[in-house]
Amino acid sequence: MMIVVALIGGFILGILFFGGLWLTVKRTLGSPYVALWLLGSSLIRTGIVLTGFYFMAQGSLLQLLVSVAGFIAGRLLILRLTRQIEQKQVIVTESSPL
């Protein structure tokens, strides 16, 4: 049961981490405070992920590895979703007249 919880928890952490990274990059494109956004986001995202891994592992290497696998799966989902969003934005931008 704890293995399934570790997998789902890692998946959620991956979505939070990489989704937050994508949002941060989008936010910094028009911001005068790029370094502040990147540093703050990095510290918050990393802190959340490390804390999550600590509590999910509970001293078990197997649970830690399963949660890391879930984290990678979350990354793949965010990668797929953000590619689709970016492609739709490019299509809309290209089809609208200037």
Side-chain angles (χ1 to χ4, degrees):
M1 181 65 180
M2 289 306 296
I3 298 297
V4 174
V5 171
L7 182 66
I8 293 170
F11 185 73
I12 292 169
L13 287 175
I15 290 171
L16 289 173
F17 186 86
F18 292 105
L21 175 61
W22 181 71
L23 290 173
T24 301
V25 170
K26 294 295 254 181
R27 175 68 86 148
T28 59
L29 292 176
S31 174
Y33 305 107
V34 175
L36 184 62
W37 274 105
L38 291 175
L39 180 63
S41 172
S42 177
L43 290 174
I44 291 169
R45 288 181 294 110
T46 302
I48 290 170
V49 168
L50 289 178
T51 303
F53 281 150
Y54 176 78
F55 284 112
M56 281 186 293
Q58 296 181 353
S60 168
L61 181 61
L62 177 62
Q63 284 180 217
L64 178 62
L65 292 175
V66 168
S67 62
V68 170
F71 184 80
I72 293 168
R75 177 190 179 271
L76 295 174
L77 175 68
I78 291 297
L79 186 60
R80 174 172 280 170
L81 291 175
T82 55
R83 279 185 182 165
Q84 290 175 355
I85 291 170
E86 293 296 325
Q87 287 174 351
K88 287 179 184 177
Q89 288 177 349
V90 168
I91 291 170
V92 169
T93 305
E94 289 177 354
S95 64
S96 63
L98 294 175

